[in-house]
Amino acid sequence: MSTTNKNDQVPTLLVKDSQGSDLLCFLEQVVPLEGNEYALLTPVDTPVSLFQLIDDQDPKLIETIEKNEPILEVADVVLQEHDLRLVRSAITLTVSGELDEPEPEEIEEEDIDDESETYELLVNFRVESNEYGLYIPLDPFFIVGKLEDGEVKLVEGEEFDKIQSGIEAELEGRGLSE
């Protein structure tokens, strides 16, 4: 899922979260709402999700993980074998580097959480006696940022909950939502 082929004309913005981490994103849409401007963004690098793989069970999503977690150090070593690099960025883990584009018939999709999002396994690895996998979400990964004073701040938590329906309604009005 390489994003390096994306049109060179698409502007990029650096999004910061409340912990000061950042993530380079493509600007997809600007949505004016309640006197503010919000940006609909997609990561430049490929977003990935970390799952614990447990025998005979659905993979279990690890939602929060410390940036210096030993599991991520092992994942980084495994990715380096494929000329890839794990980036501990704001919002999500991402992988930078040239990912091979799989043939559509080769994609082994897995519905692995109750929201029935679909993922593709990128790599799996062991840490001590546990097995983990980094998966690429096959659904688009959008981020909402608030444009203010020339910066983009991640919209998260309660603020996101308040504006989500307004942004969805605006995009629907433009004919851009599913």
Side-chain angles (χ1 to χ4, degrees):
M1 306 296 146
S2 173
T3 55
T4 54
N5 305 357
K6 191 131 185 177
N7 186 333
D8 292 334
Q9 306 305 310
V10 178
T12 56
L13 297 169
L14 199 59
V15 181
K16 291 200 177 291
D17 67 10
S18 54
Q19 281 79 46
S21 297
D22 52 33
L23 177 63
L24 186 63
C25 292
F26 290 113
L27 175 62
E28 301 293 342
Q29 296 282 327
V30 174
V31 179
L33 190 67
E34 300 172 4
N36 294 305
E37 284 195 326
Y38 294 93
L40 190 62
L41 308 151
T42 54
V44 170
D45 289 330
T46 304
V48 292
S49 298
L50 179 66
F51 286 84
Q52 183 174 4
L53 308 176
I54 303 164
D55 294 337
D56 301 331
Q57 294 181 28
D58 284 340
K60 179 180 167 210
L61 177 64
I62 299 174
E63 293 191 37
T64 54
I65 189 161
E66 296 297 317
K67 289 183 178 186
N68 59 355
E69 182 72 40
I71 296 167
L72 297 181
E73 292 173 24
V74 174
D76 217 2
V77 169
V78 172
L79 287 169
Q80 286 172 16
E81 294 171 7
H82 300 278
D83 295 324
L84 300 170
R85 192 170 63 89
L86 186 64
V87 182
R88 295 149 177 85
S89 49
I91 307 135
T92 184
L93 296 170
T94 58
V95 172
S96 68
E98 236 4 85
L99 288 171
D100 294 329
E101 291 287 338
E103 296 300 317
E105 62 273 5
E106 289 179 10
I107 294 178
E108 287 184 34
E109 296 181 1
E110 285 191 50
D111 293 331
I112 50 179
D113 75 11
D114 27 42
E115 295 173 22
S116 58
E117 288 189 48
T118 308
Y119 294 83
E120 177 191 357
L121 178 64
L122 176 62
V123 295
N124 60 331
F125 54 93
R126 295 190 82 74
V127 177
E128 295 169 7
S129 61
N130 297 313
E131 188 170 359
Y132 297 91
L134 285 177
Y135 285 80
I136 300 170
L138 297 178
D139 297 326
F141 189 91
F142 290 108
I143 296 161
V144 176
K146 185 176 185 179
L147 300 167
E148 53 185 32
D149 303 327
E151 289 189 356
V152 183
K153 296 215 175 6
L154 175 67
V155 178
E156 46 194 340
E158 286 180 25
E159 184 181 6
F160 179 77
D161 295 340
K162 287 180 191 171
I163 65 158
Q164 181 179 8
S165 61
I167 287 177
E168 287 171 355
E170 173 69 24
L171 294 173
E172 218 167 85
R174 296 180 189 183
L176 298 171
S177 67
E178 296 176 18

